[in-house]
């Protein structure tokens, strides 16, 4: 960042400081990961200078020879990675990608079946704070109270009773395998479009650790910056019959100029994800999550649904130890571990003050931490929470975290 350092010292130091935070902090917030240097180079490249509204071969401005090649490369790589028929790499983020799907499939007032609002949905799937709530008739299926798994019988019953135009299978904190075949069967039974939002699990699907929903779904959206260690943004994949309409919904209905620097960065990241190393990474993410969950259980934390099949887990901190998420967050922040609050199913507490925290292993696995480090991290978490008022102890734990992070550098190699 030599130019930035010369031109804008203040901003330079903020970024430097943030880099130190990322290097020396254990990142367990389920959504955050580290992109490669190559992805950052493409994101920060001269492609940011180009306006390129439209699609390859059909742009409104001249000078698109290289831009078209780059966007086509990104599309072809994404198709190969997921086995998708059609891919749009332009969505700026997950929420606009979902909006484009709704515009394509639904009319205002249509019925949509998605996961209950208080149970691991994403806001763009029908939350009252989101446009989707205003425009559509949202019906919610739920998590079973005893098993804490999605109740597929209820999905079928609600679909049969309400005849939704679209069923959404998309989750932000669900840690168990999804029954894609059953979702398809239910959608077929009521002639609904089946949409999956795989934002959280896309990397594990690309890495061939989880089942690919593409063969079962009509439309699949995903953000590109979670288990996929890609730049900020999203893609939409679909079957042919939705195609011209979906392309129009992304451009010009929902957004105008695509950010070609980020599309180039997506292309780099798709290439990385096609390599064998990414499969090894994805397997390790899941292996680490299992060990993290088991180790948390061994020291007394209740894990929602009793464990995890993927990269994340919900920890019922209030139910386990009577500590609030806020106390946990503040305590762990003091030793440089980041976590985020999350409601648990049928949470007795309020949405802004829930019982749980959500943790994942995607970022720490990018540092190539493995099973042994998961056990160390749990013992440090437990020690910190047991000594939450002991500042001296917390300072010594922070030092231990720093030493651990130095052994597994992200960028400062
Ligand atoms: C399942 C799911 N869909 C969509 C989104 C929205 O993505 P973005 O933040 O890029 O708009 C998220 C992000 O947190 C998500 O978890």
């Amino acid at each position: 960042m030599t130019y930035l350092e010369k031109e804008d010292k203040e901003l330079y130091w903020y970024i430097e400081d943030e880099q130190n935070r990322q290097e020396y902090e254990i990142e367990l917030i389920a959504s955050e990961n580290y992109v490669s240097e190559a992805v950052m180079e493409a994101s920060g490249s001269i492609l940011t200078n180009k306006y390129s509204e439209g699609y390859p071969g059909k742009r409104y401005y001249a000078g698109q020879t290289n831009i078209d090649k780059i966007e086509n490369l990104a599309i072809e790589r994404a198709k190969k990675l997921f086995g998708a028929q059609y891919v749009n790499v332009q969505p700026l983020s997950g929420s606009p990608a979902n909006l484009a799907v709704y515009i394509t499939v639904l009319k205002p007032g249509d019925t949509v079946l998605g996961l209950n609002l208080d149970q691991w949905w994403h806001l763009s799937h029908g939350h009252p704070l989101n446009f989707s709530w205003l425009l559509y008739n949202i019906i919610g299926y739920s998590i079973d109270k005893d098993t804490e798994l999605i109740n597929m019988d209820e999905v079928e019953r609600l679909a049969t009773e309400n005849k939704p135009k679209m069923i959404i299978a998309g989750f932000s904190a669900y840690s168990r395998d999804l029954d894609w075949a059953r979702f398809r069967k239910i959608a077929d039974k009521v002639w609904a479009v089946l949409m999956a939002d795989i934002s959280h699990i896309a990397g594990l699907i690309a890495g061939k650790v989880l089942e690919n929903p593409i063969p079962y779904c009509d439309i699949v959206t995903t953000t590109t910056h979670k288990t996929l260690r890609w730049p900020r943004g999203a893609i939409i994949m679909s079957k042919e019959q939705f195609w011209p309409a979906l392309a129009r919904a992304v451009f010009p209905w929902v957004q105008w100029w695509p950010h070609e620097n980020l599309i180039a960065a997506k292309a780099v990241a798709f290439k990385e994800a096609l390599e064998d190393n990414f499969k090894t990474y994805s397997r390790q993410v899941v292996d680490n999550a299992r060990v993290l969950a088991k180790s948390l259980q061994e020291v007394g934390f209740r894990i929602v649904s009793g464990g995890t099949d993927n990269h994340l887990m919900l920890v019922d901190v209030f139910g386990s130890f009577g500590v609030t998420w806020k106390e946990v967050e503040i305590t762990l922040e003091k030793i440089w571990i980041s976590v985020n609050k999350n409601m648990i199913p049928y949470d007795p507490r309020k949405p802004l003050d829930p019982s749980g925290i959500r943790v994942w292993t995607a970022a720490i696995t990018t540092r190539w931490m493995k099973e042994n480090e998961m056990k160390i991290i749990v013992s440090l978490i437990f020690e910190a929470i047991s000594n939450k008022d002991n500042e001296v102890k917390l300072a010594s734990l922070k030092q231990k975290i720093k030493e651990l992070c130095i052994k597994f550098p992200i960028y400062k190699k």
Side-chain angles (χ1 to χ4, degrees):
M1 297 194 294
T2 44
Y3 290 99
L4 190 60
E5 187 180 9
K6 250 191 262 158
E7 215 171 289
D8 189 339
K9 276 238 160 17
E10 187 182 2
L11 187 69
Y12 170 82
W13 280 115
Y14 292 149
I15 296 177
E16 267 292 300
D17 218 23
E18 173 61 13
Q19 190 177 354
N20 283 332
R21 189 193 68 79
Q22 292 189 15
E23 280 291 342
Y24 304 128
E25 187 169 81
I26 295 287
E27 186 57 79
L28 299 180
I29 290 182
S31 289
E32 300 188 9
N33 209 335
Y34 311 112
V35 299
S36 70
E37 288 88 344
V39 166
M40 281 193 284
E41 280 184 359
S43 311
S45 70
I46 44 93
L47 296 172
T48 195
N49 298 337
K50 191 75 192 115
Y51 262 140
S52 56
E53 80 278 32
Y55 287 106
K58 273 193 194 159
R59 308 273 189 188
Y60 285 72
Y61 285 11
Q64 307 289 346
T65 319
N66 298 311
I67 297 294
D68 279 3
K69 284 183 194 156
I70 289 165
E71 193 166 326
N72 280 329
L73 190 62
I75 292 167
E76 288 315 311
R77 286 178 180 170
K79 280 186 185 171
K80 194 165 164 200
L81 192 58
F82 289 102
Q85 238 180 327
Y86 281 81
V87 179
N88 191 313
V89 293
Q90 294 195 356
L92 302 177
S93 206
S95 305
N98 288 344
L99 171 57
V101 174
Y102 303 160
I103 288 173
T104 304
V105 176
L106 306 168
K107 292 197 175 56
D110 277 349
T111 298
V112 178
L113 185 59
L115 186 63
N116 254 339
L117 297 182
D118 59 347
Q119 295 173 343
W120 312 334
W121 68 157
H122 185 261
L123 257 68
S124 61
H125 301 161
H127 191 276
L129 293 175
N130 186 262
F131 71 90
S132 45
W133 174 261
L134 287 179
L135 288 185
Y136 310 114
N137 174 34
I138 308 280
I139 310 269
Y141 52 88
S142 54
I143 301 287
D144 182 272
K145 208 166 184 173
D146 296 324
T147 60
E148 296 181 310
L149 303 177
I150 291 170
N151 185 341
M152 293 304 291
D153 291 338
E154 192 194 30
V155 177
E156 182 157 2
R157 181 177 59 75
L158 289 172
T160 312
E161 280 169 17
N162 295 285
K163 302 272 181 299
K165 185 92 174 277
M166 184 165 81
I167 298 176
I168 304 179
F171 317 99
S172 290
Y174 191 63
S175 64
R176 293 306 195 171
D177 276 343
L178 292 156
D179 189 348
W180 296 114
R182 181 96 191 264
F183 270 115
R184 179 71 262 168
K185 234 171 129 184
I186 295 168
D188 283 345
K189 189 174 164 190
V190 298
W191 296 87
V193 171
L194 180 59
M195 170 199 170
D197 176 346
I198 57 168
S199 291
H200 263 273
I201 50 175
L204 304 180
I205 292 163
K208 314 269 184 257
V209 183
L210 295 185
E211 191 182 12
N212 188 350
I214 299 274
Y216 300 101
C217 296
D218 299 298
I219 304 176
V220 176
T221 61
T222 179
T223 52
T224 47
H225 45 265
K226 293 185 170 74
T227 41
L228 292 168
R229 296 176 299 197
W230 302 350
R232 300 252 140 207
I235 60 174
I236 304 176
M237 300 173 271
S238 90
K239 293 192 173 140
E240 190 176 1
Q241 80 240 45
F242 298 97
W243 198 247
L246 252 177
R248 265 198 313 277
V250 172
F251 163 82
W253 284 354
V254 174
Q255 59 187 51
W256 199 244
W257 318 102
H259 295 182
E260 289 295 339
N261 54 323
L262 292 176
I263 289 175
K266 286 175 190 171
V268 177
F270 297 159
K271 183 168 181 291
E272 290 172 357
L274 281 161
E275 286 162 11
D276 281 345
N277 196 29
F278 194 78
K279 291 195 189 76
T280 312
Y281 163 73
S282 304
R283 176 81 262 154
Q284 190 66 51
V285 168
V286 173
D287 290 347
N288 281 351
R290 291 201 176 132
V291 174
L292 194 74
K294 191 160 174 284
S295 308
L296 284 164
Q297 284 168 324
E298 280 167 4
V299 296
F301 287 103
R302 187 180 89 77
I303 305 293
V304 168
S305 85
T308 177
D309 298 325
N310 57 32
H311 58 303
L312 61 76
M313 66 211 70
L314 271 184
V315 190
D316 177 5
V317 289
F318 193 76
S320 309
F321 290 111
V323 285
T324 63
W325 69 271
K326 193 75 199 161
E327 286 172 295
V328 172
E329 187 187 86
I330 290 171
T331 304
L332 295 185
E333 209 165 13
K334 284 185 186 165
I335 67 165
W336 281 34
I337 293 181
S338 291
V339 295
N340 72 276
K341 66 171 178 280
N342 217 102
M343 289 190 82
I344 61 168
Y346 306 97
D347 203 320
R349 296 171 66 82
K350 296 195 175 75
L352 290 178
D353 188 17
S355 297
I357 57 167
R358 184 180 60 156
V359 299
W360 83 349
T361 53
I364 45 183
T365 309
T366 296
R367 313 176 81 124
W368 290 112
M369 289 185 179
K370 295 198 175 144
E371 289 84 345
N372 191 40
E373 286 71 43
M374 300 306 113
K375 293 178 189 163
I376 295 171
I377 290 168
V378 169
S379 74
L380 293 170
I381 289 175
F382 185 65
E383 262 196 89
I385 292 173
S386 310
N387 294 278
K388 62 183 167 45
D389 300 318
N390 182 342
E391 296 297 330
V392 178
K393 180 75 183 173
L394 293 177
S396 81
L397 295 175
K398 178 178 168 185
Q399 185 55 30
K400 284 188 186 165
I401 293 285
K402 186 168 183 185
E403 282 159 19
L404 182 64
C405 289
I406 288 169
K407 282 197 218 150
F408 297 90
I410 314 166
Y411 300 117
K412 293 196 168 173
K413 295 183 179 122

